[in-house]
Amino acid sequence: MNMTQAPTVDWLPRWQELVRAIARVHSDHGERQLLEWLGESQDPVVVAFVNAHAMNSAATSRHFFEALMSADVLLRDGIGLSILMELLNQRPGVNMNGTDLIPKIMQRFSGGTIALFGTQEPWLSRARQAVVSRVAPGSPCVIAHGFHDTAAYVRLAALHRPRLIVLGM
């Protein structure tokens, strides 16, 4: 690149599209409505959380951007996105981070099989123990580390038929 050329900004449209696609939840009532909808849906629903790292990954990877955009629901996760939205004169809504929301979603599926796919030991087994003892007691919990190929997760899902699959990066 010659020093007089402006740097490429091909990431900017992806950022703009992601910010527009994020569902805003503005109250506890809105959160309850979202959780009810997720728990009652008869069709699979993909929920993704967009934080500062996700925005940076979407800027550098069109494939990651497309994966995020294929989700049925995108939720804002973290102060970084709140600041970005405020800078864009948009109301960011309530922080819907995965750490807080995923256990609430799991509670909605309590009694049904829950699959945890991702991360590695010892965190994976600790997460399973938390699910079966506190978060969703009585729920069978299938686990698989996050280093298989996609086909392995598809096979596990077909074999165990979980009502909820949580994918961790």
Side-chain angles (χ1 to χ4, degrees):
M1 176 171 91
N2 139 357
M3 296 308 281
T4 60
Q5 288 179 313
T8 177
V9 290
D10 64 337
W11 57 268
L12 187 57
R14 292 196 294 266
W15 267 36
Q16 292 167 330
E17 190 172 346
L18 269 174
V19 169
R20 280 192 304 271
I22 293 171
R24 275 42 167 227
V25 175
H26 295 286
S27 66
D28 290 342
H29 177 70
E31 180 182 308
R32 283 190 303 275
Q33 286 181 312
L34 173 64
L35 289 168
E36 286 173 17
W37 176 70
L38 291 172
E40 294 171 1
S41 179
Q42 297 304 307
D43 296 318
V45 176
V46 175
V47 177
F49 298 90
V50 180
N51 58 19
H53 177 71
M55 292 296 286
N56 288 332
S57 295
T60 60
S61 170
R62 176 165 290 285
H63 180 72
F64 185 78
F65 164 76
E66 290 168 356
L68 281 176
M69 291 303 295
S70 72
D72 298 300
V73 180
L74 290 173
L75 298 171
R76 177 183 72 79
D77 181 350
I79 190 69
L81 267 283
S82 178
I83 292 168
L84 175 63
M85 289 174 163
E86 288 172 6
L87 288 171
L88 296 172
N89 295 316
Q90 297 183 22
R91 291 179 55 211
V94 177
N95 186 23
M96 302 299 292
N97 65 70
T99 306
D100 294 337
L101 195 65
I102 289 172
K104 293 176 184 178
I105 295 170
M106 288 178 175
Q107 289 170 348
R108 296 280 176 167
F109 288 86
S110 189
T113 300
I114 295 173
L116 304 176
F117 296 159
T119 197
Q120 60 188 0
E121 294 299 344
W123 301 280
L124 189 56
S125 291
R126 288 180 191 161
R128 181 186 182 282
Q129 184 57 38
V131 168
V132 300
S133 66
R134 293 188 316 274
V135 178
S139 294
C141 187
V142 178
I143 61 173
H145 67 70
F147 303 95
H148 295 295
D149 63 15
T150 303
Y153 302 110
V154 171
R155 282 191 300 275
L156 283 168
L159 176 66
H160 296 283
R161 306 205 38 86
R163 289 207 52 237
L164 176 67
I165 299 174
V166 177
L167 300 175
M169 292 182 65

